[in-house]
Amino acid sequence: ILSRVQRSQSTALVSTRREPPPYGFRKSWVPRALEDFGDGGAFPEIHVAQFPLEMGRKKRTSNALAVQVDAEGKIKYDAIARQGQSKDKVIFSKYTDMLPKEVLNEDDPELQKPDEEAVNELTEKTRAALEKQVSQKIAAAMPVRAADKLAPAQYIRYTPSQQGLAFNSGAKQRVIRMVEMQKDPMEPPRFKINKKIPRGPPSPPAPVMHSPSRKMTVKEQQEWKIPPCISNWKNAKGYTIPLDKRLAADGRGLQTVHINENFAKLAEALYIADRKAREAVEMRAQVEKKMAQKEKEKKEEKLRELAKMARDRRAGIKAHGGEDTEVRERDEIRHERRKERQHDRNISRAAPDKRSKLQRDQDRDISELIALGQPNPRTSSEAQYDQRLFNQNKGMDSGFAGGEDEIYNVYDQPFRGGRDMAQNIYRPSKNADKDMYGDDLDTLMFVPDREFSGADHGPRRDGPVQFEEDPFGLDKFLEEAKQHGGSKRASTSGRSKDYDHEKKRRKE
C-alpha cells in the first residue's frame, strides 16, 4: 500500500494531470474541480452533488457590470449611468462636470468660426441627407411608382485556385459581370418594420454631490433617538411591554380626567324625548281604539236595521207601499243581469279562442264579407301592393293638401263611392245570379211567395231600409218625464217601467 501511495505521489509530482486518489484512500475526499473526475464520470459512493464535465450544473447568468478603469487607474463608477445609452450621449456623473468652464482667450482656435470651405461641405452634406429622407417619404407615399434605377454593372476579374485543362475550360482567369437584380416596384415589403420597440431610457438625473461625512456627537445622537411606538390597542407579536413604558407612551398620567357636562345634557334630552314619544304613542292608540268602537257601533246599528227590515218583510208589513215592490223588481233585474254577465265570463274563460270577437269575425262566412263590401282576406303567396302607390298622375299634391302638410285632413275623400257601395250591398251580383234571374236585373221585380202580416204595399225602394220617425215613442216619454220630473224616485220608477217594457218586448 505504501509503495502505491508513493508511486501515486511521485507520479503526481512529475505529471501535469491531476487524478483522483485510488480506492482505499478516498476518505473525506470530495471531488470539486474538473480534474478530480479525470476522464470518467461521477463517484456514486461519495454522496455529494457532482458535476463531471460541468454536466447538470445550472448556468448562472449575471447582469453585473465588469469593473472598468480609466486612464489614471481609478474605477469608472459612471458605467452604471452609461448602461443602455449611446456612446455619444453626454452624461454628467463626475465632480469635474459640475465645475464651470474656464474662460478662454479670444484667439483660441476652439472659439474661431469655421472657414468657407468647411461651411459649404457641411451644408452640402446636410442637404443631401435631407433630400434622401424626403425622396424616400414621397416614394413610399405614392400608390404606383416607377422601378428604381439600377446601379451600373461591375466587372470582376476572377482567378480560380484550381488551374489546369480540366478546370475552367482551360482558362486561367475569368471576368465576371455583376448586375444588380431588378426589383419589382409592386412587391409588398418582405420584412415587418412596424414593430413597436420600447423606447430607450431617459436622460440620467443630475449628479447629487454630498459633503464629506462628519462624526456625530453624543448630543446629536440623543436628539435623533426616537422612542419606539407602543400601541395601547394592538400587540400582534405578543411582546411583554412594561406598564410604565405603555403608560408613558400616551401621557395619561400627565392629565386629569374631566367629564364634559354635555354628556349629562344629552342623557336628559334623550330621556325627555323617550317620554314624549311614549305619550304620543299611547294617545294615538286611544284615538284609534275610540274610532274602532264607533265603527263597530255603526255596523251593529246597520245590521239591526237590516234584521228589522227582513223581519218586517217576512211578516208582510210594507213600509212604503208600491215603492218597495218596484225596488224589489229592480233588484231582481240587476240580479239577472249579473247572472248573465257571469255566464258570459265563464263561457269566454272556458273557450276563449272560440268566443273572442276576433275569432267570431274570422269564422264568418266569406259571402257575408262580400255583402258588406269588405276586402277578401284570401292568402296568396305573391306580394300585394297598394295600387295607390303606382298612381303618378296626381303628383306631389296628392299626399299633402296642396303642399300644406300641417293640415290634419286624413279623410279627404270617401273610402268608397256611395253609389257603388249601395249597388253592391243591396243588389245581387250580376255574374253570380245570372243563371237564376237572367240578364235584366234592373227591371226584375222581386215578389215574395206570401206577404207578411201587416205589410203595406208601398213603392219600391232602392236604398237601405228607412224607418219612421220615432217608432218607439221616446220623445213622448221624455216629455212626460220632464213634466212629472221632480223627485228622484219618480224618475227612477219611470226608467224601470220603460226597462221592463223593453225587456217584455225582447222576450216576445
Side-chain angles (χ1 to χ4, degrees):
I1 294 171
L2 265 171
S3 63
R4 277 163 57 184
V5 172
Q6 288 170 0
R7 200 166 51 243
S8 66
Q9 286 176 355
S10 64
T11 53
L13 287 172
V14 174
S15 99
T16 55
R17 289 186 62 184
R18 188 173 153 199
E19 294 183 351
Y23 283 105
F25 297 95
R26 293 178 183 174
K27 190 176 182 183
S28 69
W29 177 77
V30 178
R32 297 290 184 195
L34 284 173
E35 293 84 5
D36 292 343
F37 297 99
D39 293 333
F43 300 95
E45 68 272 8
I46 301 173
H47 301 290
V48 292
Q50 304 171 42
F51 303 99
L53 300 177
E54 294 296 330
M55 290 188 298
R57 191 188 296 275
K58 290 183 180 177
K59 303 284 185 185
R60 293 185 181 178
T61 57
S62 174
N63 57 355
L65 290 174
V67 178
Q68 300 179 17
V69 183
D70 58 0
E72 299 176 2
K74 294 181 181 178
I75 298 174
K76 294 171 69 174
Y77 292 106
D78 60 344
I80 297 175
R82 287 195 171 277
Q83 187 182 14
Q85 309 286 352
S86 63
K87 63 180 187 217
D88 300 329
K89 193 164 189 176
V90 178
I91 296 174
F92 301 107
S93 59
K94 297 191 293 293
Y95 171 67
T96 54
D97 297 333
M98 302 287 289
L99 297 176
K101 274 196 170 185
E102 55 180 306
V103 179
L104 299 173
N105 195 8
E106 289 184 3
D107 300 332
D108 193 79
E110 292 184 10
L111 300 179
Q112 300 304 317
K113 285 185 177 180
D115 56 348
E116 194 70 26
E117 187 179 349
V119 169
N120 291 337
E121 184 184 352
L122 193 61
T123 305
E124 191 65 27
K125 193 186 295 183
T126 308
R127 189 180 61 79
L130 291 175
E131 276 187 0
K132 186 179 179 182
Q133 285 189 353
V134 170
S135 63
Q136 284 178 353
K137 297 270 185 182
I138 292 173
M142 291 177 69
V144 178
R145 54 198 176 96
D148 296 333
K149 289 184 178 179
L150 301 179
Q154 293 180 347
Y155 294 92
I156 302 167
R157 190 179 296 276
Y158 168 63
T159 305
S161 60
Q162 294 171 326
Q163 298 287 342
L165 295 174
F167 302 102
N168 203 9
S169 301
K172 292 185 178 181
Q173 287 185 343
R174 276 199 170 189
V175 177
I176 299 172
R177 181 173 176 266
M178 186 174 289
V179 185
E180 187 179 354
M181 185 180 174
Q182 178 75 44
K183 186 181 177 185
D184 186 5
M186 300 297 288
E187 184 183 10
R190 296 183 181 181
F191 308 105
K192 290 184 179 179
I193 56 172
N194 59 349
K195 279 191 175 179
K196 298 282 190 300
I197 57 173
R199 63 173 63 187
S203 300
V208 181
M209 298 299 173
H210 298 280
S211 62
S213 57
R214 293 182 296 271
K215 271 198 159 187
M216 285 186 71
T217 60
V218 179
K219 186 180 178 184
E220 282 181 344
Q221 285 182 355
Q222 289 176 352
E223 286 175 352
W224 277 100
K225 191 172 184 180
I226 301 170
C229 177
I230 299 170
S231 174
N232 287 320
W233 294 274
K234 293 181 182 177
N235 190 7
K237 299 194 176 181
Y239 292 141
T240 304
I241 301 167
L243 199 58
D244 55 344
K245 300 283 190 301
R246 179 166 285 206
L247 293 177
D250 60 352
R252 269 186 286 181
L254 304 177
Q255 59 188 6
T256 57
V257 179
H258 177 69
I259 299 173
N260 200 338
E261 60 180 3
N262 289 336
F263 283 107
K265 290 180 182 177
L266 176 64
E268 188 177 358
L270 288 173
Y271 174 70
I272 292 170
D274 180 62
R275 192 175 63 200
K276 294 278 187 189
R278 287 179 186 278
E279 289 176 359
V281 169
E282 191 175 353
M283 194 179 299
R284 196 179 297 117
Q286 288 179 358
V287 171
E288 288 179 356
K289 195 174 180 181
K290 286 181 181 178
M291 288 176 67
Q293 188 69 22
K294 284 183 180 179
E295 196 73 26
K296 190 177 179 182
E297 289 176 358
K298 280 183 184 178
K299 284 184 180 179
E300 287 180 355
E301 187 66 28
K302 198 171 182 180
L303 287 172
R304 274 196 218 97
E305 289 180 2
L306 288 173
K308 186 172 179 298
M309 288 172 64
R311 283 197 299 272
D312 292 345
R313 196 180 292 116
R314 280 202 299 271
I317 303 170
K318 289 187 179 180
H320 300 288
E323 290 183 2
D324 196 8
T325 308
E326 293 171 0
V327 170
R328 197 182 305 117
E329 288 176 357
R330 284 199 300 274
D331 289 343
E332 289 177 0
I333 294 169
R334 288 196 193 97
H335 186 63
E336 289 178 5
R337 283 291 179 89
R338 195 180 298 116
K339 283 176 68 176
E340 290 174 4
R341 285 198 298 271
Q342 184 69 28
H343 182 65
D344 293 342
R345 275 201 303 271
N346 292 342
I347 292 175
S348 63
R349 199 179 294 122
D353 53 340
K354 289 294 181 184
R355 286 294 171 180
S356 64
K357 188 176 181 182
L358 184 65
Q359 290 289 336
R360 280 205 311 273
D361 291 345
Q362 287 180 355
D363 292 343
R364 295 171 79 175
D365 189 12
I366 194 68
S367 59
E368 189 174 326
L369 295 175
I370 293 170
L372 293 175
Q374 294 182 3
N376 187 8
R378 64 175 178 271
T379 57
S380 62
S381 60
E382 59 188 39
Q384 296 182 359
Y385 301 98
D386 192 351
Q387 295 299 321
R388 288 172 293 181
L389 295 173
F390 306 115
N391 187 9
Q392 299 177 352
N393 298 329
K394 292 189 177 182
M396 281 294 292
D397 296 340
S398 61
F400 319 104
E404 298 290 334
D405 55 346
E406 292 187 0
I407 298 176
Y408 191 71
N409 193 6
V410 182
Y411 306 109
D412 54 348
Q413 294 178 0
F415 176 56
R416 298 193 181 183
R419 189 172 180 184
D420 297 339
M421 178 69 83
Q423 285 182 359
N424 289 334
I425 292 178
Y426 300 110
R427 293 191 179 192
S429 59
K430 293 184 178 181
N431 297 329
D433 302 330
K434 193 172 181 180
D435 302 336
M436 190 179 295
Y437 300 109
D439 293 333
D440 199 4
L441 279 172
D442 295 331
T443 57
L444 186 65
M445 190 72 177
F446 293 102
V447 180
D449 296 338
R450 54 191 183 85
E451 297 180 351
F452 293 103
S453 60
D456 55 341
H457 301 283
R460 178 188 174 196
R461 55 178 174 79
D462 295 330
V465 180
Q466 299 173 358
F467 294 95
E468 296 179 3
E469 186 179 357
D470 194 13
F472 300 109
L474 289 174
D475 294 338
K476 185 178 178 183
F477 169 70
L478 288 173
E479 288 177 3
E480 289 179 1
K482 284 180 184 177
Q483 290 175 3
H484 297 290
S487 69
K488 189 176 178 182
R489 180 71 70 178
S491 63
T492 309
S493 63
R495 281 198 302 271
S496 65
K497 286 178 180 177
D498 183 57
Y499 183 82
D500 295 341
H501 174 70
E502 180 68 18
K503 186 176 178 185
K504 288 178 182 177
R505 190 183 67 77
R506 285 184 181 179
K507 286 182 179 179
E508 290 173 359

